[in-house]
Structures are given as structure tokens and as C-alpha cells.
Amino acid sequence: MSNARTARLTRRGLLAAGGALGLGAVLTACGDDGAKDGGADTKGSAKTGPWSFEDDRGTTVKLDEAPRNIVAFTGVAAALYDYGIEVKGVFGPTTTKDGKADVQAGDMDVSKVTVLGNVWDQFNVEKYAALAPDVLISTMFDDAGTLWYVPEASKDKIAKLAPSVGISVFDRQLTGPLQRMWELAESLGADMTAAKVTEAKKRFEAASERLRKAAKAKPEIKVLVGSASPELFYVSGSNLSIDLEYFKALGVNFVEPTEAAKKATGGWFESLSWENVDKHKADVIMMDDRSSAIQPADITEATWKQLPAVKAGQVIARSTEPILSYDKCVAPVEALAEAIEKAKKVS
């Protein structure tokens, strides 16, 4: 991506490109409005009769029946999939350059959904209309009710085609959005008494208790949350992001960006040149797992390789935009718990 393109990104675009939840690298694929068609019909809700749901904007969507033609942000669609609800169309990171499912697509079969846009600012309104959507569902990363990955330029056209539901993932702990997605899935007809669903919730609670104990046993272990781009390394603050706020509440000792740096980015993150990547001392590093960020194995900067946590092999992935099902949130909690349990003090 050119520097001119980078400069034109809004703050919201920067968060999406690599700073959502406080981190990341600017998206390298700008793309056009082309979209990939899936060949499968949407599985509808088993519920009959009128449907309503009050979202986190305080907006209540009312329909004559539960929506069947659901279009959702990819991560939302992945969460609903885990609860047995399949959507018809998605927008947001869905497929990688080699055609495989993006990390944010979870277990969805991406060949069976219509992809309306795969990167930031890409949303094919014509294909959206052709799906005859009953509802659009996305997350929200601010308190203004901005729907994630719905382009500013076309949001009014999109809004006219179907009502929308927004689930907030801003400045709260992970358990809140998890509960909201549970309620949404249940309203859509998901069987929340299914063994797979209830067992996943129990595994999440057990993983959380394990992390609490690990953090209490090793309070001296400092955890830095980072994301890599070609030009910059981003250090996330523990406020605002649902996963980090939850982990902090469980006792994890996070490295925090400077107040001045956080103020410059609305509280999300601090940008460092690779020459200054050693500014903060850490024992464990969590790295952004999204396809928009450079992954640890591909970082070539010598300053990165010399970090004590990197040399000690104490680097783990971070689900920067967690898929909001209990099943998908187990692994990130367990991974952090294990990392702290095994970590040596190297800072």
C-alpha cells in the first residue's frame, strides 16, 4: 500500500487495518468491490412468530419472523456458526490471498457464503441487495454506534436495505460481548442447551480460572501486547479491548504504553519504530494473529530478534478480534495461562 493511501486512512480505518483493539499494521490489500459468491443457502432459524432484539445501541429490531437471510461481519458470522446459525453473506476479512479461510472466519465454510467485501472499505452494495437481507449484524468499536466494516461512504445505502444489529466490543470485558452474542444466537433459534454449547462455556470458565491462578502465582511476569507492520511496531494498552480488559481483571500484569502515546490514538496503542521496539521490557509477548499483521515468524528486524522474550521463545498469538463464542474464546485464555505458567523472568 502506498504512503498516500496510508495517509488517507481515517482513525477508524487505522483501527481496522491493524489497530482494532489497539494494534496492527495497515491493510496491504486495498482491493475493489469484487466479491466471492458462495453456493449454499442460509440455514434459517427454527423459531416461528415475531422476532425482536434490542442491540447495544438501544435499538430494537422487530420483524414478523426470525431473520433467515442474515448478513454479518465475518467474526460475528463465525460466532453464530458455532451456535448453529448460518448466515447468507459476510463482510470483513474472510479469505486469505490463497483462498483459505481467514483466522476471523473461524470454522465457517467460506465457500458457502457470499463475500461482500474482504478488506476495509470494501462492501458490494448491489450484491448485498440481491441477497434480500432480513438483517445486518456487526460489532462496534466505539460508543457512537458505528458498525464495524460498514463503509462510511455507503452506510446510508446499506441501512435502507435492511435493519441492523450492533454488538459492542468497546471498553468492556470479554464476558459481556460473549453473553450478548449468546442472547442474539438464542433469539435466532440456536439451541443453547446443546452439549457442545454448554461444554464450551464450562471450558471457558475453567480456562479463566486457570489464568487467574497463573497470574496470581507469577505477578512479576510482564506481558506486552504487540502487532507488527513493515514500518512500525504497535504496543496495545490494556484498556478498551475486550480481551485485555478481561485478562487484566483476572490479574495479568500488562505492559502499558505511555499516556501521551495512548492519548494520540484515542487510548488504543503506541506506535514505535523498529529501532525502538525494545522501549518496553516484557517477559511474554502476545502478537496480533490477524492476516493484516506480520506474524512473528516473518519478522526479520534484528531488534525484534534480540528482545529477551523473543530469544526465550515466550511469544504467543493474540486473537485481537475474538470470535464471540465460548468455544473460540477458550484457546486464547488457555494459551495465555500456559505462557505465564511456563514463563521465565527475562525482563
Side-chain angles (χ1 to χ4, degrees):
M1 182 181 295
S2 68
N3 290 335
R5 169 69 175 115
T6 302
R8 290 198 298 272
L9 283 170
T10 62
R11 174 178 168 272
R12 182 167 169 260
L14 176 60
L15 292 177
L21 304 179
L23 301 173
V26 174
L27 287 170
T28 56
C30 296
D32 57 21
D33 281 344
K36 175 181 176 181
D37 289 321
D41 290 335
T42 303
K43 285 187 178 179
S45 165
K47 288 195 172 183
T48 59
W51 178 84
S52 68
F53 186 82
E54 183 178 354
D55 74 0
D56 290 338
R57 298 170 297 186
T59 299
T60 299
V61 177
K62 296 181 179 180
L63 300 173
D64 291 338
E65 60 180 6
R68 292 180 177 274
N69 290 351
I70 301 171
V71 173
F73 171 68
T74 303
V76 170
L80 292 176
Y81 183 89
D82 286 349
Y83 291 131
I85 303 296
E86 296 187 26
V87 308
K88 197 165 187 177
V90 297
F91 55 94
T94 307
T95 58
T96 58
K97 292 180 179 179
D98 58 6
K100 295 181 180 179
D102 188 274
V103 65
Q104 294 191 61
D107 292 333
M108 281 194 302
D109 184 345
V110 296
S111 71
K112 294 183 178 180
V113 293
T114 297
V115 182
L116 302 173
N118 201 52
V119 298
W120 184 253
D121 263 351
Q122 184 187 87
F123 192 113
N124 192 309
V125 180
E126 290 73 23
K127 288 194 174 185
Y128 177 57
L131 293 175
D134 295 320
V135 68
L136 178 147
I137 309 171
S138 190
T139 48
M140 301 181 298
F141 280 89
D142 59 30
D143 55 10
T146 307
L147 296 173
W148 195 232
Y149 268 79
V150 173
E152 183 70 21
S154 54
K155 67 177 184 179
D156 292 338
K157 292 181 180 179
I158 293 168
K160 292 178 181 178
L161 295 170
S164 62
V165 168
I167 301 297
S168 180
V169 289
F170 175 71
D171 195 16
R172 61 202 62 204
Q173 293 182 27
L174 177 61
T175 45
L178 274 173
Q179 179 60 29
R180 292 295 284 144
M181 192 62 69
W182 176 289
E183 293 166 359
L184 176 60
E186 185 174 36
S187 80
L188 293 169
D191 180 4
M192 310 313 282
T193 64
K196 178 182 178 181
V197 173
T198 58
E199 289 171 4
K201 188 173 184 180
K202 290 178 182 178
R203 287 189 292 114
F204 174 80
E205 291 168 348
S208 297
E209 180 60 17
R210 177 183 176 185
L211 178 55
R212 187 191 66 77
K213 290 180 178 178
K216 184 177 181 179
K218 288 188 171 182
E220 73 280 5
I221 297 299
K222 296 181 179 180
V223 179
L224 182 144
V225 184
S227 185
S229 77
E231 296 83 15
L232 296 169
F233 183 82
Y234 302 86
V235 178
S236 178
S238 62
N239 293 328
L240 304 182
S241 300
I242 57 174
D243 60 330
L244 304 186
E245 287 204 12
Y246 183 56
F247 298 157
K248 183 170 64 174
L250 292 175
V252 175
N253 181 9
F254 283 112
V255 172
E256 298 288 351
T258 63
E259 288 303 316
K262 287 195 294 183
K263 184 177 181 180
T265 60
W268 289 98
F269 59 93
E270 176 179 9
S271 304
L272 297 175
S273 66
W274 283 102
E275 289 78 10
N276 295 316
V277 73
D278 61 351
K279 176 180 178 179
H280 300 289
K281 308 303 179 184
D283 305 296
V284 173
I285 300 176
M286 301 173 68
M287 290 295 290
D288 188 351
D289 71 351
R290 293 174 301 172
S291 55
S292 58
I294 300 175
Q295 297 306 298
D298 299 319
I299 299 175
T300 59
E301 280 75 8
T303 49
W304 162 262
K305 294 180 179 180
Q306 291 303 310
L307 293 177
V310 175
K311 294 173 71 174
Q314 296 175 176
V315 178
I316 63 172
R318 176 202 177 196
S319 295
T320 306
E321 293 185 51
I323 294 174
L324 296 173
S325 71
Y326 284 101
D327 179 71
K328 292 299 179 292
C329 287
V330 172
V333 180
E334 288 184 334
L336 182 54
E338 182 177 7
I340 293 174
E341 289 167 352
K342 295 181 177 181
K344 297 179 181 178
K345 183 67 178 175
V346 295
S347 65

